[in-house]
Amino acid sequence: MISAVGLKDRENFLQHYLNPAIQEGYVRMLYPDSPRHPRQKYLLTVKGMALFNELTK
């Protein structure tokens, strides 16, 4: 996934994409109390889904 957006390491991906998306409310963690949970997933919120739908029209 990281290579798909042209980044070389996980730290840059977290700093520039994932953390800002979580802070702005577009994405949420499946296990917010355990960020390193082995089955951690990131889900679009209602706000994120609205933006996705708007961008893919």
Side-chain angles (χ1 to χ4, degrees):
M1 178 176 78
I2 292 173
S3 62
V5 293
L7 296 173
K8 296 181 189 253
D9 62 28
R10 181 180 192 322
E11 190 64 34
N12 283 332
F13 174 74
L14 291 173
Q15 181 180 1
H16 294 291
Y17 293 94
L18 189 58
N19 289 338
I22 291 170
Q23 290 171 354
E24 292 293 323
Y26 293 110
V27 176
R28 72 175 181 88
M29 289 192 247
L30 184 60
Y31 302 101
D33 297 330
S34 181
R36 296 193 182 270
H37 193 283
R39 285 178 258 137
Q40 183 66 272
K41 293 182 182 181
Y42 300 91
L43 309 168
L44 286 177
T45 62
V46 172
K47 182 178 178 181
M49 194 57 131
L51 178 62
F52 174 78
N53 289 334
E54 186 177 314
L55 292 173
T56 57
K57 280 186 182 180

